[in-house]
Amino acid sequence: MRTILCALLPLLLTTAFLSGCGGEDAPEFPEQTPRLPDLANAGTASGTIRFEGTPPKRFELGMSSDAWCNGKSSAPALSEEVVVSEGALRDVLVYVEKGLEGFVWPWVQEPAVMANRNCRYEPHVLAVRARQPLRFLSADGTAHNVNTSASAQGSNFTLQTAGHEKVLQFKEPELSIAARCNLHPWMLGWIHVLPHPFFVVTAEDGRFTLPPLPPGRYTLAALHPILGTQRQEMEVAAKGAATLDFTFKAR
Ligand SMILES: [Cu+2]
């Protein structure tokens, strides 16, 4: 039946059939056998990401080149390169860099969402699992072009108006994939693709708590797209609670 439908494509020309036949948008989840750690004595790891010194000034994004975008926010839209609230740093990816080798986790089939909303990427920083479907979804009444082509596994497509979406699947782990929009040069979002579930991106309070980890020794990394990466060794005891903080400084 599928073959017949695909053969009729030139007549049907509907995007639903196109995505079903081309295979490009259909998420792939190859067979694999999970090898999961024993979490019976799992411990926790948590902390806070701080910023020391005077953060760079957030500048007003000039959206006057697009009448739809201009003035969409009640307050002036500010740049999001470095967002500090009461000394806490937003948008830091905290993840286990070493210590989980040899494990295999099931695929995550529930999609993550990155929106184009009020002519910005929302969230500004998003972390997903390798092969997790990632929905790019426009909420705006103006066209956006989602350009992740700086990455070898990125792509470049247009979301014409509100409600339009496209699902991507980054098949390999990769950090700091920039998402831009060629139509609106101020638009920038960041995507991190992780091989395992032990990561979190900080919100305004700068706090992080990782999912429960098996006892062991780990290298924890804290990555900010502009301020770089810091690392710390960490010991998680059986049913213990490890705490560690990271401090980024003004450059
Ligand atoms: Cu745009």
Side-chain angles (χ1 to χ4, degrees), residues 11 40 47 63-65 69 91 110 114 133 146 163 172-173 206 218 231 241:
L11 301 174
M63 297 187 181
S64 58
S65 62
C69 300
D91 296 328
E110 181 186 342
M114 192 169 220
V146 176
E172 301 296 331
Y218 301 94
R231 294 174 176 84

Side-chain angles (χ1 to χ4, degrees), residues 129-169:
R129 293 275 302 283
R131 292 188 179 267
Q132 181 175 7
L134 172 47
R135 289 174 67 204
F136 284 88
L137 176 62
S138 177
D140 289 348
T142 190
H144 291 297
N145 148 263
V146 176
N147 187 345
T148 55
S149 58
S151 157
Q153 50 179 345
S155 61
N156 188 347
F157 54 89
T158 299
L159 298 176
Q160 205 58 44
T161 191
H164 285 206
E165 68 170 82
K166 183 175 173 70
V167 179
L168 291 189
Q169 193 186 33

Side-chain angles (χ1 to χ4, degrees), residues 7-73:
L8 291 172
L9 251 186
L11 301 174
L12 297 170
L13 280 179
T14 68
T15 51
F17 284 121
L18 276 173
S19 61
C21 297
E24 186 192 356
D25 291 343
E28 296 171 31
F29 303 101
E31 286 286 324
Q32 65 170 4
T33 306
R35 280 193 54 209
L36 302 175
D38 180 0
L39 295 177
N41 292 310
T44 59
S46 60
T48 303
I49 313 291
R50 301 189 181 286
F51 186 91
E52 201 174 278
T54 305
K57 192 167 168 47
R58 296 178 66 186
F59 54 88
E60 194 172 332
L61 298 172
M63 297 187 181
S64 58
S65 62
D66 186 309
W68 192 94
C69 300
N70 204 22
K72 274 295 161 196
S73 308

Side-chain angles (χ1 to χ4, degrees), residues 143-145 181 183-184 187:
H144 291 297
N145 148 263
C181 170
L183 302 170
H184 305 117
M187 288 178 67

Side-chain angles (χ1 to χ4, degrees), residues 173-189:
E174 182 176 346
L175 300 174
S176 301
I177 297 173
R180 298 184 180 276
C181 170
N182 297 359
L183 302 170
H184 305 117
W186 63 84
M187 288 178 67
L188 171 63

Side-chain angles (χ1 to χ4, degrees), residues 190-207:
W190 296 97
I191 299 159
H192 303 295
V193 184
L194 281 297
H196 58 62
F198 298 94
F199 61 83
V200 65
V201 176
T202 57
E204 269 79 4
D205 64 4
R207 292 191 181 154

